[in-house]
Amino acid sequence: MQSFVIIGGGIGFVFLMTCLGAATVFLFRRTSPGKYQQIFLGFAAGVMIAASVWSLLIPAIEEAESQGLIGWIPAACGFVLGVLFLLGLDRLIPHIHPMSNVKEGLESKSKRNTLLIFAVTLHNIPEGMAIGLAFALAAQRGGDSTMYMPAIALALGIGIQNFPEGAAISLPLLQEGVSSRKAFGLACLTGAVEPFFAVIAVLLAMWIAPVMPWLLSFAAGAMIYVVIEELIPEAQLGEHSHVGTLSVMAGFLLMMILDVALG
């Protein structure tokens, strides 16, 4: 029962933070400064990079070695599979990059607002998988409350970065002419993808423990793909500024501290 409470609380927290971030849409006018979005996207990128290393790849290597395998092989193979998975989704799902205004994926007659939502949904899939796998790994290691600390650190870090990420979803929608209430609701809806994939990851990992190293590194590869393909380029758009770069560094530093201190 305690395990269910901890897992449910962690998954629920990341969704709540997305909605709180989306609520910032009520504080801005239609012409929100792009610099805020650079900060939001850069910070999210930094958190995801650090989480991919400390919360996913390192545990994947350790788990593989505990199974008597060569640690880097499942980690490297799973990482590549995660990249290919997101690459496939990127090519198939029609979406648009809000700040660069570049369309990707299959041809679609969907409205620009719909394409923006699809773009953010791609970001949230690997994040939800990562959180679910981290909690599943803790449960497999005994379910003791102390075993959940690395997973809680990951959920805390992802949740914190979900606040600016929620704003980075709702603010572009506001600029596209969507009402504040609708932009808030749509941003929360995209955030629901994370708990959905987190629960799926937990259920899968519980049943197929031997492939946990592959699943952890798979999530890491998917997250790094999102960072390099989507977040960092968007954070660096506009006039030359160190805002996006420093935001990435701040996010990385925060997640590293959380993971080492709590994990």
Side-chain angles (χ1 to χ4, degrees), residues 47-153:
V47 169
M48 291 174 71
I49 293 172
S52 297
V53 176
W54 274 277
S55 299
L56 298 173
L57 285 176
I58 293 177
I61 293 171
E62 293 174 346
E63 188 70 13
E65 290 176 345
S66 70
Q67 296 178 8
L69 303 173
I70 299 174
W72 63 267
I73 293 180
C77 294
F79 186 91
V80 171
L81 291 174
V83 171
L84 293 176
F85 174 72
L86 256 292
L87 179 62
L89 291 182
D90 203 34
R91 295 287 179 87
L92 293 174
I93 298 178
H95 61 284
I96 190 169
H97 299 267
M99 296 185 70
S100 61
N101 203 33
V102 174
K103 293 183 179 181
E104 290 188 350
L106 298 176
E107 287 292 328
S108 173
K109 295 182 179 180
S110 300
K111 294 181 179 179
R112 177 181 167 86
N113 296 339
T114 303
L115 296 178
L116 286 171
I117 293 171
F118 284 161
V120 177
T121 301
L122 285 174
H123 299 180
N124 290 333
I125 291 174
E127 292 178 17
M129 292 173 58
I131 294 168
L133 291 171
F135 278 105
L137 180 63
Q140 288 179 7
R141 290 178 173 176
D144 185 87
S145 58
T146 58
M147 292 294 168
Y148 283 105
M149 293 308 295
I152 291 173

